[in-house]
Amino acid sequence: MSTQREHGYWRSLETWAAGQVHEGAENEFPAGASEPEGLDLGRRDVLKLMGASLALAGAGTGCSVIRKPAETILPYAERPEDLIPGRPMYYATSACIAGSVTGMLVESHDGRPTKIEGNPRHPESNGGTGGFTQAEVLSLYDAERARTPSEGGAEKTLDDVREALEGAAGTLEAAGGAGLGLLVGHRPSPTFQRLLSEIRERFPQSRVYLHDPVHPASRREAAKLVGAEGMRPVLDLSRADVVACFDADLFGLEPGSVRNSRAFAEGRRLERPSDGMNRLYVAEPVPTVTGIWSDQRLRVSARKIQSLLGEVVMELAAQGARGGSGQVEVVEQLRAHGRDETLRAWARELAADLRAHPSTSVVVVGAGQPPAAQALGHLINEMIGAQRRVLAWRDDQVTEHDGGLVELASDLRDGTTTHLVALSVNAVHGTPSSLDMAGALATAEMSVSLSHLHDEMAEASAWHVPVSHFLESWGDWVTPTGETSVQQPLIAPLHSSLSEIEVLAILAGAKGKPRDWVQETAGLDDDSGENAWRKMLHDCIGRADARQSPRRIRPRWNELAVALAEPPQPSSKLELVAPLSSTLLDGRYATNGWLQELPDPITKLTWGQAALMSPATARHLGVGRVERGVQVNRVEKGLLHGDVVRLERGETWVEVPALIVPGVADGTVCLTRGYGRHLPSVEMGANEQGVDVGLFFEAGAPSFLVGVSGTPTGGSELLATTQERGTLVEPLRTAPSQTAPRVRDNIIRETELAEYLQHPDFVKELDVMPEERLHSLWEEPNPVDGHQWGMAVDLTTCYGCSACVIACQAENNIPVVGKDQVLLGREMHWVRVDRYYSGDWDDPTLSTQPVSCMHCENAPCEQVCPVAATVHSPEGTNDMAYNRCIGTRYCANNCPYKVRRFNYFNFAGRNHDDNELLALQSNPDVTVRFRGVIEKCTYCVQRIQAAKIDAKVNGDGIVADGDIKPACGQCCPTDSIAFGNLNDPNSRVSRLKARQSNYGVLTELNTQPRTTYLGRVRNPNPRLG
Amino acid sequence: MAVVFPRWTNLLPLIGIVGGPVAAVGGLAGLYFWIHSPKWTDVGYAPPQPVSFSHQLHAGELGMDCRYCHDTAERAAHAAIPATSTCMSCHAVVKTSSKELAPVRESAKTGEAIPWRRVHMLPDYAFFDHSVHLAAGIGCESCHGRVDQMPVLYQHEELSMKWCLDCHRNPEPHLRPKDAITMMGWEPGDYDPATDPHRTRELEPPEHCSGCHR
C-alpha cells in the first residue's frame, strides 16, 4: 500500500519527468487532430467547405430516389441440411499458430468464417486464444495474399505447378532423389510427418532442412547437451508454486503461452484470501508481458542471464540441492569464472524460495539464450525436483532433418541440393546477411516457395505457390501433451493455392484427397472408424499420441561442464537484443492490419519498430532530451519524435528511431524481429517499416549479441504510440514533489499479498469519496428488474496480452485507421489496455489494466447527448444508436474514462475499398459505422440479444450464467473477464463483485460503473524488498 | 353609414401576407415529409419478381402453411426464402411444362439461385428476428397482411420505427394462440392472452435502442 502512495503511477517517462501530464496527454486529441487530413486549413476554410458540402448534400437528397435501393435475395437451389440462412454455425478446428498448436471454434456466417474463438475442450486453448489466433481470420482475407502461382513473375495455374513438381520428382527419382531438398518449419502434424517419410522412402537421397524462428535450434541443442536429445520439458503450471523465467516470455511469445497462462492463473485466483498464491520471478533485459505479471522482476542484460543462472546453481548447491552426476563439475566450472556480486543476493533468495517449494517450482530459460544457459535451467529444475510434478520431459516433435539454413546454403552452393521446395519458410528475410540466402537460392536448378505472400523468399525462388490458409485446408496436429486434433476447412480456397500437405503429397506421389490422408493417418479410414472420425471432427480432439507420453529422464551434466569452460566475454559496448515482435512475430503478420495497429503491450507502439533503450543508455548515446535529470523522449505537440540512431557492428548497420523505455536493462538496445520487409507486391505500409535485425545475427546464434555501437544521426521519426491515450489522471495543481508526479493514483489499485491478507478490502482505502456523500442532481434511472448486465475484471490474472483488443475488433467490425490516424489519436479500438509504471524511473514496476466502456449507471455521456443517441437500456447497458448520432462528440468529451471513439472518416468504407474480401469477414450482426459517428464497447450487445432471444424462444426468457461471453471475455487466456447478470447472486460476475477487493474506477464522480475491477495482488519475495 | 366590414377585417391583409407563405411552406413541408414517409414510399411496394409466384394461389386457394416454404421463421432471425428444391418438391410433378416455371426448373438444373426481389426491407442498422416474434404469438398477418389474398406480394405495413414501437408498447391486440400464428384472417373472438395456458412467461418487448439496433 505504502508503495502505491509514495510513488504514484505514470504512463511514460515524459509524464514522470514533467511531474504532470504533458500536453499531448492532457488534451484528448493531439493538436490538429480534428483538422482534415493532409490539408493545412484554418477554421474559416473548414466552415466554407462545410457550407458547400451541406448545399451539395441538400441537392443530393432532393433528387434521390424515393424508394429504397432494390435488393435481391438469392436462396440456395438446394439448401444444405441443418443450414439456416443467417444463423452462424461453429466448427471445431485446430492449427499451429505462432508456433503453438491451438484448438478453436470458428464462427461461420453462411459459409464465411468471421470469428475465431477458443475451444474449451482443447487442452491448448481451454476456451482462450492468443492475439495471433484472433487475427488469423483477417489473414485469410488478406488483400496482399498471393492469389496465383507464378514462375519468374509469369502467372501459372495449379496444374502447371503439379506438372512441374511431378516432372522434377520423376527426374530425381532415378538418382534416388539426390538433389532434392525440402525446407520445412516446426510441424507437429502426423500427416505432414507421414507424407514426409513417404518422400524419404521414395527419394532416399533427398535432404530435409529445418528452420523455424519460433522454435530455434538452441532448444534442441540444450536438450542434447544434458543427454535428453529429442525431448523437451513441457510444463504443468497449475501445480507450480514458484515459477522463475530467465529471458523467457513464457506467457507472451513462448509456444504454449495460452495453456501455460491459464494454468498459472489458476494458482492466483484468490477466491478466498486464505487460498494462497503462486509466485513469479522474472529476470529479463527488456520488459515483456511476463514481466508485467511478475511478482519479482529483475532488470538484467541478456548476456548476464547465464551468470545469473550460474549464481542460482551455486546457491542451490551450497544449500545442499543435488541434481545428478556431473553437477559437481558444473559448479566447479562456474566457481572458476568468479561470482557476480550484483546478482548474488537475488539469486540467493530465488534459490532459497525454489528450495522451499521442492517439486512445485520450476525455472524457464528463453530460447534466445545460448544452449549452455538453457542447460543450466535444466540443471536447476533437476536440483529442485521440478520433474516430479511441474515438468515432464516429452518428445520434442521435431521433424527429422539433415540440417538448418547453414547446411542449406552450403548444399545449394556446392550443388548437393539442386531442387528446393520450401514449405511456408522464409529463408531470406530475417536471416543472416552472411548466408546470402537469395544468392544461394539463385544457384538452384529449381526452387519452389510455398508462402502466404509473394515475399522475399518468393522473389528469390523460381516458382511461387500461394499457400492455403488453415481455414481452407485439411490437416492434423499433436499438442505437446499428446492430444491429436484435426484441422478442418471451413471454406474452399479463395485463391489458387495449395496446402503444405498437398505439396508433400505431390512429391510423395500420394493419390486421393487431403481429407482422406488425414483420416488415414488417424487410422479411421475404414467403416468401423466412421463414428470415431465424426466425433473427432466435432470435438477436434482425437485419441492421444503415445509418443508424447512423459518420460522420466536422468540428465547428465558432464557435457554442460565442458560447454561452460569458456568464460563469458565482458564488453563495454552495447548489447543488441532481438526478440520476436509481439505483434508481427517474425514478420509473417506484416500485412495484417489488426496486428500492425495493435499497440505493443509494453511500448504501446503501433505501425512500426523502434530501438528500445533505458534512459541511462539514451543519455550515454545522446538520444532524447533531459528533463528533471532524466533522459526522456522528445514530445512536441503531443507527437513522439524518436531520434534516429545508427546501430553498427562490423560491416552491418541499421538506422532506426530510438524509444526510451524504462525497465530496459542499461547497456541493452532492443530491436524486434519481423520488420524491414521487402514485399514487392505490397504497395504501402509493411514495406517501408523498420529494419531487419536478423542481418546482425549468425545462424543458430542466441538472440542477443554484444559489441554494438550506436550514434544518433541527428534525424528523427514520428512514432505512433498510444501510451498517453485516455490518461485518467488529474492535471497538476500543486508543485511537483521530487519523486512523485501528481496524478490521480486510484485508477489502478494494487497491493502485496501480506498486506492483502491483513486488509482484503485494501481497495476501499483508495476511495476518494465515501458512498454516502455521492448524490445525484436528478433522479437516476438505476434499473433493477430482470437481467442487469455487468462485468468484472480480475487484475491479478490480467497480464496485458492484448488478445481481447483483437477479439473485439474481429467481433465488432472495428476498422483499421493507419499510422497517420493513430498519430492523430484516432485509433478505433474499443478496448485499450493501459500500461502503467510505478516506482523508480529507471527500474519501475509494470502494471496493466484493460479499459473499455464502463456502462455507467449514471452515465456522463448520456446526459450531454443532444439527440439521445446514447441512452440507457433497462438492463443497465449504455446503448449507442448509431443512426441517431450526429457527431457532436459531446459524449466523448464528457466521458471520464475516454473510451468513446469517433469515426473522423469513413474508416470502415476505406478498409473495404482497400480490400474487397474484407466484407466476407464482417460480422453481419453488428452495424458497420459510417463517418461522423461515435462508437464504443457495447458489452457485445449482439451476443446479449442472441442469448436473450434464444432464452425467450426455447426457455423461460432467463439467460443462464455463462451463456453470454463478450468477445474479450471469451478469448481471455486467463479467464480474467467475467460477464453476466448482476441480479443473479450466483453468477460468476456477482461472485467476483462480492469480493472485498472489488472496486470501480472514478466512482468519486458518481458514475456508478457496471464494469469493476478486482484490485491486483502481487506476491513478491519479502526478503528481496 | 353602416360599417360594412367589421374592424377585424383590417387584419386580413396581414394574415394573408404572413399566413399565406407560412401555410404554403407548411403545406410543402408536409407534402415533402409525406412523400418521404414509408406510408407513401413503401406501403404497397410490389416489385416484379423473376417468377410470378402467387401467394394467393399457394397460401390462399391451396391452403399451404407459411412454414412449408418459410421454414426457418420459428428458428432464426430470417424467414428464409425457400430453396429451389422446395419448389421442385411439388413442381417436379405439378405443371412440369409451365412456361412460368421455366426459371425454377432452370435453377434446379444449374444450381444457380433465383434472384427474388426483396419486398420487406429494413435498414441495415435494424435487426429484426422472426423467431422471437413467433414465439411471442405474433401472427404473420400482423406485419405481412393478408398474404393469402395477394396474387403479387406487396408490402402491407409501413415497417417504420414508430410502427414497430406502437406494437412493442401495446402488443396485446396482436397476440394470438400458438396454433393461429400462420392463420390468415384469424379473429380474436374471446381469446385472452392472459389466460392462455401456453404462455408461460411475461412478454417483455424491448423498447430500448439495443433491442433492435446493435
Side-chain angles (χ1 to χ4, degrees), chain B residues 20-88:
Chain B
V22 166
V25 169
L28 280 173
L31 193 68
Y32 181 84
F33 280 107
W34 169 249
I35 61 168
H36 280 87
S37 85
K39 263 196 187 121
W40 172 259
T41 58
D42 293 352
V43 173
Y45 177 62
Q49 299 291 356
V51 180
S52 54
F53 175 84
S54 166
H55 278 88
Q56 184 186 35
L57 174 64
H58 291 82
E61 288 173 36
L62 297 174
M64 289 167 68
D65 192 278
C66 306
R67 291 164 296 190
Y68 183 82
C69 300
H70 304 291
D71 63 331
T72 65
E74 286 174 306
R75 293 177 288 162
H78 298 274
I81 302 296
T84 312
S85 57
T86 309
C87 310
M88 291 305 282

Side-chain angles (χ1 to χ4, degrees), chain A residues 484-547:
Chain A
T484 314
S485 51
V486 190
Q487 168 190 324
Q488 61 172 326
L490 274 88
I491 191 169
L494 294 168
H495 311 303
S496 297
S497 60
L498 291 175
S499 69
E500 290 177 21
I501 61 170
E502 282 172 311
V503 172
L504 288 180
I506 294 172
L507 292 173
K511 297 283 170 270
K513 291 204 153 69
R515 180 191 148 121
D516 304 334
W517 307 328
V518 174
Q519 204 169 349
E520 196 182 323
T521 313
L524 300 173
D525 50 336
D526 51 0
D527 288 344
S528 60
E530 185 62 22
N531 280 347
W533 170 247
R534 284 187 173 273
K535 183 164 167 30
M536 192 166 167
L537 285 181
H538 177 268
D539 299 349
C540 156
I541 292 286
R543 59 175 172 207
D545 185 329
R547 274 172 310 174

